[in-house]
Amino acid sequence: MLRGGFGGMTARGRTVTEAPAGLVVYAPALNRDLVTPELRPRLLRSCRWLLPDPVADFEDPRVAKSLDRVEILLTGWGCPRLDADILDRMPGLRAVFHAAGTVKNHVTEACFERGVRVTSAAAANAIPVAEFTVAVILLANKRAFRLQRRYRELRGFRLWSKEFPGLGNHQKTVGLVGASRIGKKVARLLSAFDFDVLVHDPFLGAREVSDLGVEACSLDDLLRRSDVVSLHAPSLPTTHHMIDRRALSLLRDGAILVNTARGALVDEAALTQELVSGRLDAVIDTTEPELLAADSPLYDLDNVFLTPHIAGSQGGETSRMLEVALDELERYVAGQPLHEEVRLEDLDRIA
Amino acid sequence: MLRGGFGGMTARGRTVTEAPAGLVVYAPALNRDLVTPELRPRLLRSCRWLLPDPVADFEDPRVAKSLDRVEILLTGWGCPRLDADILDRMPGLRAVFHAAGTVKNHVTEACFERGVRVTSAAAANAIPVAEFTVAVILLANKRAFRLQRRYRELRGFRLWSKEFPGLGNHQKTVGLVGASRIGKKVARLLSAFDFDVLVHDPFLGAREVSDLGVEACSLDDLLRRSDVVSLHAPSLPTTHHMIDRRALSLLRDGAILVNTARGALVDEAALTQELVSGRLDAVIDTTEPELLAADSPLYDLDNVFLTPHIAGSQGGETSRMLEVALDELERYVAGQPLHEEVRLEDLDRIA
């Protein structure tokens, strides 16, 4: 019988309590990077783990027979969907601590209906996405991805500023679509450089605009005025294909579109047409579907730097997300307020 | 007969004086980016220009006949070497304001012997080099250049952290070889990210080390401990091939060498061997000679991101250098101390 964070223990109290019983649920291959030597002891003592290793399949007999004792889940990429059926088999489930960004792939409305608390590590995942975004903006303005290929082809020099008018990062305008956690972090990192930063976000207040040192504007204005447009909006029905043919047509010739957010934000057919024609450049880390069709011209265009969804946490970067999940789990056990809780109503506005 | 900065006018005085007579000497193709609409009026009124356009050839008859009246030169890329012969034809030359980085390609000892003052815009050129360096470090730690090619080849996903152990920017160690103006700027930009930064520079004082928030160490220690090594030392006889076969052998497997400085710092044959074997990755913007041999394997290796010497000022970035040159020229005319003067003794320690 458990007490502790679920009743007896308060943040002030130091009652020794039995920890809640839990499972770690993510693709086991992630374990090596996620659980650093520094985090392992914290992970081990944070909960009474019903199985010694991460699991990814609730139907595995070892896992299946422990489900009725589960009170918390520490989840990550590869956790199966927590639908009503599986929740019926975990009647004691109280909380899900997600050691990754979006919870939308596994957390369902049924979790919230049953009062299961949910936290996400989106805060930690925002760091590498923002870093990657700033790096590709700096290199795309230098046309570095194109010049790398051009040099390979020419094996000679040209006056690059003649081939690429407006080359460089001096006094460029960067437009951020969406002042999400990532969008704001990008804005803060960009302040170290010589950019004018525009932001379009219907939910951004005047105070935040001024704190970020950016200029708020409409999406159309942003598209017309920016040298680089970087997408940081969540993927929602309301943002589906927000960058459509008309939006793309507002971009100036030679403008650069950066998508480290979600493929669904962009009408890929329309973008592909603008890229095949050579009118625009793009850095694309996310497409819809996630794996780009094998016959897409985007793989081979010189004006496209296409990466396989790597802006988010990779390798050692994933351990930051476990750290957030453990922070939350420890707060929960100590009866303290959670910092990164996701509520049902958030699902309509977050990534 | 001139007075002003050369005698009559002081910083306090407002005597109207005749401006010195000068020539603008750089490759005319640079003009469009260098002279922005904002800078044009400043350039025009900063001096009494003997010719209305930039020139790049002292033997051009229009130019040749004005040499004996030249008191100042505003120079840039493409300015011919200012040797004793040409200086004999410019007996009135008092100062050279260079609107680019290194002055070593055109300024000779003979200039200093004749008391010609020299300023450089290396301060402005440091900005884009540092920006480019930080951007490639962030992407190289993500193996983004390799993954872009790998995705193109596979048209599928893998667990990238398994293909590239240690993927990502979390808690990486970056070693900066040389705390030059650029090296220091890189260190300051890197402080926004999650890196330990090591610096090797025999001339760096303890106070500067602490101000930069870095750790000073020997070159060998730096090479052994760093995930990324970035070169920011000047090209001098003492730094020639400082990254030789032995130095490279100290780098850990999978380490990344970044060279945005000068090709002569690296033993290219030794580096090529380490890159062909796949033991190291590299981002190479500078080689010796500047144009890499057409049969070099570096053009085609997947673990090399090779760019055609673009880290420094390109396109719009060059106007920052004209701004520095005009700042200096205006100070000179006003009889104020110069901020970016280069002296003969500096040539042995600067890039």
Side-chain angles (χ1 to χ4, degrees), chain A residues 112-155:
Chain A
F112 295 105
E113 281 161 10
R114 291 168 200 222
V116 173
R117 298 179 72 181
V118 175
T119 72
S120 116
N125 198 41
I127 297 170
V129 178
E131 291 172 348
F132 184 92
T133 303
V134 169
V136 296
I137 289 171
L138 289 167
L139 293 187
N141 275 331
K142 292 284 257 194
R143 310 288 175 183
F145 307 118
R146 301 185 64 157
L147 284 169
Q148 179 263 331
R149 294 179 184 179
R150 190 88 177 101
Y151 190 28
R152 206 170 187 177
E153 167 191 292
L154 285 175
R155 311 208 169 199

Side-chain angles (χ1 to χ4, degrees), chain A residues 275-288:
Chain A
L275 293 170
V276 168
S277 81
R279 198 181 77 81
L280 303 176
D281 283 9
V283 176
I284 303 175
D285 188 54
T286 52
T287 54
E288 171 92 343

